[in-house]
């Protein structure tokens, strides 16, 4: 069980959240080539280590959060608002 | 104006009397018939909403995890710039209308009286019973009178309002799930026993 410290609600169980994927990708400009959109939609790095992810606090305050989670240990390093920039620690 | 909601969404789910285990640890379970109004500030207008609510109703709009008891209602924080107001029953729609009149276009005001049910759970072992259905930390260092949390209870989206030190909790769930919810709650209270008035 992961526990995520929501900036609004405090420490809550993973079951209250919905995982919403990789928070490091950003949408290409509208005139970018189709290959860029392909990569934006489908290609993911799948790292072993720290990863910045979207988690939606669906069972609580309903905010989208940026969570830095370790994909091997499930340790949660930091949690911030959707608009925040999360610093990824060295391995 | 018409009488509000003469039929409870609970039907006959709560049977008056003493149920479950014997002993002196029984909790009390009841439906509280309340007016419910949801107030969500529109983008960038939270300050205006707060000013309007203070001027018209003498109510602070509390921050995350907290509640405020104004003369006319209790305001419960439910999400950033969003509150649920809980008040005794009044003529249909009157509270929502007065809130909307005060807030104007600074907030979306939605009548929830028929949309949600308020289930009151109280007594010395109320936290113990609630703890079976919730992963919230109900210990006094984390939660207490004047606090509220939005968190699943019995797997259902719920607003938990710790009203007083009895302790008394208001558990606010969608009305269409109220029977199922109360059935879970009464099952959880079999061990302590429970009283329905
Ligand atoms: Zn939250």
């Amino acid at each position: 069980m992961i526990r995520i410290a929501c900036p609004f609600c405090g420490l809550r169980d993973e079951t209250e959240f919905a995982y919403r994927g990789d928070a490091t990708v950003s949408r290409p400009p509208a005139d970018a080539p189709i290959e860029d959109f392909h990569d934006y939609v489908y290609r993911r790095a799948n790292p072993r280590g720290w990863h910045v992810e979207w988690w939606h606090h669906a069972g609580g305050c309903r905010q989208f959060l940026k969570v830095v989670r370790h994909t091997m240990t499930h340790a949660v390093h930091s949690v911030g608002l959707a608009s925040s920039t999360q610093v990824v620690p060295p391995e | 104006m018409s009488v509000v909601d003469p039929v409870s969404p609970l039907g006959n789910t709560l049977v008056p009397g003493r149920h479950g285990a014997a002993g002196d640890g029984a909790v009390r379970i009841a439906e509280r018939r309340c007016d419910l109004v949801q107030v969500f500030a529109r983008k960038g207008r939270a300050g205006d909403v707060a000013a309007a609510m203070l001027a018209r109703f003498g109510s602070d709009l509390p921050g995350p995890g907290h509640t405020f008891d104004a003369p006319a209602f209790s305001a419960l924080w439910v999400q950033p710039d969003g509150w649920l107001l809980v008040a005794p029953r009044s003529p249909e729609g009157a509270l929502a209308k007065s809130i909307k009149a005060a807030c104007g276009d600074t907030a979306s005001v939605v009548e929830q009286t028929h949309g949600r049910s308020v289930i009151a759970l109280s007594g010395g072992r109320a936290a113990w019973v609630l703890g079976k259905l919730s992963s919230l930390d109900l210990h006094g260092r984390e939660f207490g009178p004047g606090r509220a949390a939005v968190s699943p209870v019995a797997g259902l989206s719920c607003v938990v309002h710790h009203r007083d030190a009895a302790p008394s909790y208001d558990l606010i769930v969608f009305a269409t799930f109220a029977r199922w919810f109360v059935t879970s709650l009464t099952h959880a209270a079999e061990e302590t026993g429970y009283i329905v008035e």
Side-chain angles (χ1 to χ4, degrees):
Chain A
M1 174 73 78
I2 304 172
R3 292 203 297 167
I4 295 171
C6 172
F8 298 103
C9 305
L11 200 58
R12 296 290 182 89
D13 285 350
E14 169 192 354
T15 53
E16 295 192 10
F17 296 83
Y19 177 73
R20 297 299 295 268
D22 190 335
T24 64
V25 293
S26 57
R27 188 184 174 87
D31 58 356
I34 191 73
E35 291 77 14
D36 288 8
F37 276 93
H38 173 276
D39 292 355
Y40 164 64
V41 173
Y42 294 111
R43 289 194 64 181
R44 296 293 181 265
N46 193 22
R48 177 192 181 283
W50 295 108
H51 192 219
V52 186
E53 302 169 331
W54 296 117
W55 287 77
H56 180 212
H57 197 184
C61 63
R62 312 197 67 80
Q63 300 303 294
F64 277 83
L65 304 172
K66 257 184 197 167
V67 176
V68 181
R69 179 183 67 98
H70 198 285
T71 57
M72 286 296 288
T73 65
H74 291 306
V76 172
H77 173 260
S78 59
V79 185
L81 306 185
S83 56
S84 68
T85 303
Q86 294 298 309
V87 178
V88 178
E91 187 70 29
Chain B
M1 293 199 200
S2 60
V3 176
V4 178
D5 204 17
V7 177
S8 164
L10 286 177
N12 301 318
T13 312
L14 279 176
V15 179
R18 159 89 205 219
H19 307 271
D24 55 8
V27 296
R28 288 172 186 276
I29 298 174
E31 182 186 16
R32 288 213 312 129
R33 312 296 289 280
C34 295
D35 276 0
L36 299 164
V37 177
Q38 177 181 288
V39 180
F40 286 179
R42 291 187 178 156
K43 192 171 184 182
R45 306 298 297 275
D48 298 329
V49 178
M53 294 294 282
L54 187 62
R56 172 66 182 81
F57 298 101
S59 177
D60 278 340
L61 292 177
H66 287 82
T67 68
F68 183 85
D69 290 326
F73 51 74
S74 295
L76 283 50
W77 182 95
V78 291
Q79 68 177 54
D81 299 340
W83 299 269
L84 185 64
L85 312 183
V86 184
R89 282 282 164 96
S90 62
E92 172 119 38
L95 179 64
K97 277 199 192 96
S98 67
I99 303 291
K100 185 62 187 170
C103 293
D105 69 353
T106 65
S108 297
V109 176
V110 182
E111 168 70 70
Q112 286 286 331
T113 301
H114 300 275
R116 304 200 191 200
S117 291
V118 182
I119 311 302
L121 171 69
S122 63
R125 300 200 73 191
W128 187 84
V129 171
L130 182 55
K132 289 193 194 184
L133 305 172
S134 163
S135 63
L136 283 175
D137 187 349
L138 299 169
H139 191 278
R141 77 186 157 235
E142 288 291 328
F143 207 62
R147 298 292 306 272
V150 183
S151 183
V153 175
L156 289 176
S157 179
C158 185
V159 180
V160 180
H161 177 198
H162 193 145
R163 295 179 67 215
D164 64 41
S168 301
Y169 301 96
D170 271 357
L171 307 171
I172 305 172
V173 295
F174 290 114
T176 46
F177 296 132
R179 288 190 194 197
W180 191 92
F181 181 79
V182 165
T183 303
S184 298
L185 191 60
T186 52
H187 284 175
E190 285 282 336
E191 274 187 86
T192 60
Y194 63 96
I195 297 163
V196 177
E197 265 145 20

